[in-house]
Amino acid sequence: MKAVVYHGPMDLKVEEVDCPKLGPGDALLKVSACGVCGTDVKTYRRGHHMFTPPCILGHEAVGRIVEMRPALSESSGVNPDVGLGDEVAVAPYVPCYSCDLCRHGRQELCMNKDWIEGAFAEYIRVPSGVIRKGTFKLPNGIDRNEACLTEPLACCINAVTDAGVQLGDTVLVIGAGPMGLLILELCKSVGVARVLVSEPNAWRREEARRRGALVIDPSEADVKKWARESTAGDGPDVAFVCVGAVDAVDTGMEAVRQGGVVNVFGGLPGDAQLTVDAKRLHYDEITIMGSFGFAPHHFETALAMIAAGRINVKGIITHVFKIEGAKTAFNAAEAGETLKVVLQICEDA
């Protein structure tokens, strides 16, 4: 089968590799499309501790189940809602539901997850646990490429839920990449009064404006001052930091109102250190938090919202490439010339 093999920073090749082998309860997915996520691009640019080359990247997968193996027992049985021949969206991982983190409602942090691997390939193995807990039939009429946004939207749902966004709030989104725009749309669906967006890229800033946000170029104005002026001097209720930069977190901390929340959504470098204003933290009761990943119920909700048109995802996918154009796709994403990129793997899936 064809697969996009990562050999190290800035080195991708489309190669013939062996088809995955299945175990009891597993399924074989013929991949129709897979989104290119920020982590994929970061790995391509500079490497990643979780991905040792040569390996196959990709985890935002949509496809058709073409083979299913019987499970060893009823307790490890398959998902009754999906079957052979179904088109599905597949969560890249699922929790165990039995560890301490899962029992405390933090399934996204489970340390005993089942995973899929390497969805930039014509076929992937879907482990039995992912089939049972994280595989969902595509609703009728949903666009396959847009269905690839299920996993990123699930991560955004986790963040918006964690941050406690409420009806009538004012939200500041720092960074209008694909994730920032999805958070913007989610906050609109919650019923916020306004969304403020800080974004230096003119094209992305205009896309946020088109979606109803008030926008600013942080290279030309003071974001804190602008955010306060836009909220009668109070500051936003919640700030989502959707870029991996310490100074952006600082901006969020400075901008939010008393009692506000700063959600660190964009992944920071492993050696990054935050300096927190103790006065704001204590006397203004600012909450600073992180949100990472998703749980299966976020994934299911995301798919349903996309299918029902409750989230406007039109325009977030800006580029679609065939698998043979993977190198070109990654170069365009790495250069910042895109919003969301999707690779079409098997058009006949």
Side-chain angles (χ1 to χ4, degrees):
M1 69 173 186
K2 289 180 184 177
V4 182
V5 182
Y6 166 70
H7 288 276
M10 306 303 288
D11 188 1
L12 284 178
K13 294 182 177 69
V14 179
E15 300 176 0
E16 288 289 333
V17 302
D18 292 337
C19 199
K21 293 179 171 59
L22 304 184
D26 294 349
L28 188 66
L29 186 79
K30 188 172 186 179
V31 181
S32 58
C34 185
V36 178
C37 108
T39 300
D40 296 323
V41 176
K42 289 177 189 175
T43 303
Y44 177 64
R45 179 185 298 133
R46 61 174 182 260
H48 195 288
H49 70 279
M50 291 179 64
F51 302 106
T52 302
C55 65
I56 304 169
L57 304 176
H59 58 268
E60 298 174 358
V62 171
R64 187 179 300 277
I65 297 172
V66 294
E67 185 179 349
M68 299 186 80
R69 292 290 177 87
L72 290 175
S73 65
E74 284 191 19
S75 62
S76 60
V78 298
N79 181 344
D81 295 326
V82 297
L84 193 64
D86 284 344
E87 279 196 289
V88 295
V90 180
Y93 57 80
V94 294
C96 69
Y97 287 124
S98 59
C99 70
D100 188 61
L101 285 165
C102 284
R103 288 186 287 104
H104 281 83
R106 304 311 298 267
Q107 290 91 1
E108 66 271 25
L109 299 180
C110 173
M111 299 302 292
N112 304 309
K113 297 184 179 85
D114 279 340
W115 300 80
I116 64 169
E117 294 182 0
F120 294 141
E122 290 183 307
Y123 296 92
I124 60 169
R125 168 183 166 262
V126 184
S128 59
V130 178
I131 280 288
R132 292 198 316 275
K133 307 171 192 174
T135 301
F136 301 93
K137 191 172 179 179
L138 292 189
N140 291 335
I142 192 170
D143 181 88
R144 287 178 176 180
N145 292 338
E146 291 179 358
C148 292
L149 294 172
T150 302
E151 190 269 351
L153 181 59
C155 296
C156 295
I157 290 172
N158 182 34
V160 171
T161 303
D162 279 351
V165 176
Q166 299 181 46
L167 191 73
D169 279 353
T170 294
V171 171
L172 170 65
V173 178
I174 301 176
M179 304 304 270
L181 293 175
L182 286 174
I183 283 182
L184 186 165
E185 290 293 342
L186 271 173
C187 289
K188 285 164 53 180
S189 75
V190 170
V192 300
R194 64 181 68 84
V195 181
L196 314 178
V197 171
S198 169
E199 169 56 55
N201 181 283
W203 171 46
R204 292 183 171 189
R205 192 167 60 248
E206 185 55 35
E207 181 64 20
R209 188 199 311 274
R210 188 181 71 81
R211 293 172 181 273
L214 301 175
V215 301
I216 193 172
D217 181 349
S219 67
E220 296 184 351
D222 183 328
V223 176
K224 172 190 172 182
K225 181 180 178 183
W226 171 74
R228 293 290 176 87
E229 289 174 349
S230 301
T231 54
D234 294 329
D237 299 280
V238 181
F240 291 98
V241 183
C242 299
V243 294
V246 169
D247 59 351
V249 180
D250 294 340
T251 297
M253 285 287 293
E254 293 171 352
V256 293
R257 65 167 173 79
Q258 288 182 304
V261 175
V262 178
N263 184 284
V264 182
F265 184 79
L268 295 169
D271 58 351
Q273 298 290 318
L274 298 177
T275 301
V276 178
D277 182 339
K279 178 179 179 295
R280 288 236 74 195
L281 191 69
H282 180 73
Y283 290 103
D284 290 343
E285 294 190 0
I286 300 299
T287 298
I288 183 167
M289 63 184 303
S291 290
F292 172 74
F294 64 93
H297 65 278
H298 298 129
F299 191 91
E300 186 174 18
T301 299
L303 182 60
M305 292 185 82
I306 293 170
R310 299 298 299 168
I311 293 292
N312 177 17
V313 298
K314 303 296 182 186
I316 288 180
I317 297 170
T318 56
H319 294 72
V320 178
F321 294 84
K322 297 185 186 302
I323 187 172
E324 292 81 6
K327 179 86 172 178
T328 303
F330 270 77
N331 284 338
E334 195 275 335
E337 299 168 353
T338 68
L339 279 175
K340 187 69 174 179
V341 174
V342 170
L343 288 187
Q344 287 188 336
I345 312 294
C346 298
E347 293 186 63
D348 60 343

